[in-house]
Amino acid sequence: MNLKTIVGIGVYVAVLIAASIWVGQQAYGWLPPQASAESMLIDDLFSLFSAIGTFILLGITGLVLYTVFTQSVSRFDTSDGPHMEGNVKLEIFWTAVPLLLVFFLAAYSYQTYQQMAVRGPMDLVHLHHMPGTTPTAYAADLEPEPVEEVEVYAKQWAWSFRYPDTGVVSADLHLPVNKRVRLLMTADDVIHGFYVPAFRLKQDILPKRTTEFEFTPVREGIYRLNDSQFSGTYFAIMTANVVVESPDSYRQWLARAAAQPAVPAENPAYSEYTNKRLKRFGGWKTIAPAPPPLVNALAER
């Protein structure tokens, strides 16, 4: 390999690195605003994957184009190409590099998940010790920090949120900003999914099981909660607002809600299903939506 070839490869790799870094930085703008501490970690991971993917895509595309435009032969040349076999160094290179890259991405992803410290269904993850096996070692519990607990109930097709300290039940999820939140989530019927794009968090909610889920909202605003699992006919309208506000506003809202009587929440799925005019025109077979939950604070539409 002569000096000209080495310089050419160096320039090509430098251009690839510059383009990959640029795309990695642009990737931050492709996602919703970062509204939780965990979203920053996910965005860093997404940016890294985007940069590496760009490097591989442009690298392979460039080599293919270079080969097409520089190594082509005459249309009448029917001879065989050069025979290449047994290049041990090349085979070690193209085996080791992808393998090390996969291990690196797996380790980085695992570290990100550990930093997020979301809990999920821990009883399913940490299996009990089996007789005759070595007990599993777990990391020591972290220093407990004050958290705001909220009970989340999902059913076909409505969300409701209960605040155990005050007994308030709401159709919207209100959270104090910059405070760790622990959700105790339960589903009445089928598997639902807690998914807030601005938080970059998603957690399945299993029927008749309490799933703990923790995160820290860091940006005030109103965000959208969606059901990420197909839970039946009306799952697409099973949404709710997530209101992240200052601690003072949060306490004032709890106080106002506690003074309100419990009334049925607005439930588009239940209203549409029970609308006799729509049923007279045929409609479709579906599971009857669960009755609207009783809430002290109605949804802010």
Side-chain angles (χ1 to χ4, degrees):
M1 186 177 297
N2 56 38
L3 179 61
K4 182 179 178 181
T5 303
I6 296 175
V7 172
I9 294 176
V11 172
Y12 180 57
V13 172
V15 171
L16 288 180
I17 293 175
S20 302
I21 294 175
W22 182 80
V23 171
Q25 293 300 314
Q26 297 302 310
Y28 286 99
W30 300 343
L31 302 172
Q34 297 174 335
S36 72
E38 292 73 15
S39 64
M40 302 175 186
L41 299 173
I42 292 296
D43 286 4
D44 290 341
L45 184 64
F46 181 69
S47 174
L48 175 64
F49 272 75
S50 298
I52 293 177
T54 300
F55 184 89
I56 295 174
L57 174 64
L58 294 182
I60 294 177
T61 303
L63 287 176
V64 171
L65 293 177
Y66 173 81
T67 303
V68 169
F69 289 107
T70 64
Q71 305 298 318
S72 59
V73 298
S74 168
R75 60 184 299 187
F76 302 106
D77 184 357
T78 59
S79 61
D80 294 336
H83 180 71
M84 296 180 62
E85 184 180 0
N87 192 328
V88 178
K89 293 181 180 178
L90 183 60
E91 292 182 357
I92 292 177
F93 176 79
W94 69 36
T95 302
V97 171
L99 187 63
L100 292 176
L101 182 60
V102 169
F103 278 122
F104 167 73
L105 293 177
Y108 191 84
S109 301
Y110 180 77
Q111 183 183 20
T112 299
Y113 182 78
Q114 291 290 89
Q115 291 176 333
M116 291 172 63
V118 295
R119 297 174 66 87
M122 302 302 290
D123 54 333
L124 298 180
V125 176
H126 293 171
L127 299 179
H128 296 294
H129 170 60
M130 300 296 292
T133 61
T134 304
T136 305
Y138 298 117
D141 293 336
L142 300 176
E143 187 71 20
E145 59 176 311
V147 297
E148 187 72 15
E149 285 195 350
V150 183
E151 298 171 0
V152 179
Y153 297 95
K155 61 182 180 180
Q156 293 170 315
W157 286 269
W159 298 95
S160 61
F161 311 95
R162 182 178 182 275
Y163 298 79
D165 292 339
T166 59
V168 167
V169 180
S170 173
D172 287 338
L173 176 59
H174 284 250
L175 301 174
V177 68
N178 294 326
K179 186 173 183 179
R180 191 73 173 169
V181 175
R182 178 183 298 146
L183 302 183
L184 308 175
M185 302 191 292
T186 305
D188 282 356
D189 32 48
V190 298
I191 298 177
H192 296 273
F194 180 92
Y195 176 48
V196 182
F199 293 167
R200 314 286 194 275
L201 296 173
K202 187 181 84 67
Q203 175 62 54
D204 289 346
I205 308 174
L206 307 180
K208 312 304 179 185
R209 181 189 297 273
T210 299
T211 300
E212 296 186 14
F213 194 55
E214 291 187 5
F215 58 93
T216 305
V218 296
R219 179 174 176 151
E220 295 184 27
I222 300 177
Y223 308 99
R224 205 62 167 173
L225 165 63
N226 300 297
D227 186 356
S228 61
Q229 296 288 349
F230 178 73
S231 56
T233 308
Y234 294 95
F235 91 101
I237 58 175
M238 186 174 169
T239 62
N241 288 329
V242 181
V243 182
V244 180
E245 52 197 342
S246 67
D248 288 341
S249 298
Y250 173 70
R251 286 191 290 270
Q252 292 172 7
W253 172 82
L254 275 178
R256 292 196 304 270
Q260 300 296 321
V263 297
E266 297 177 3
N267 188 334
Y270 189 80
S271 299
E272 181 175 330
Y273 182 80
T274 54
N275 188 308
K276 294 182 179 179
R277 180 173 177 272
L278 290 179
K279 291 179 66 176
R280 189 168 62 243
F281 283 97
W284 56 88
K285 291 185 178 180
T286 182
I287 297 174
L294 298 177
V295 298
N296 303 99
L298 295 173
E300 300 174 4
R301 302 297 180 184

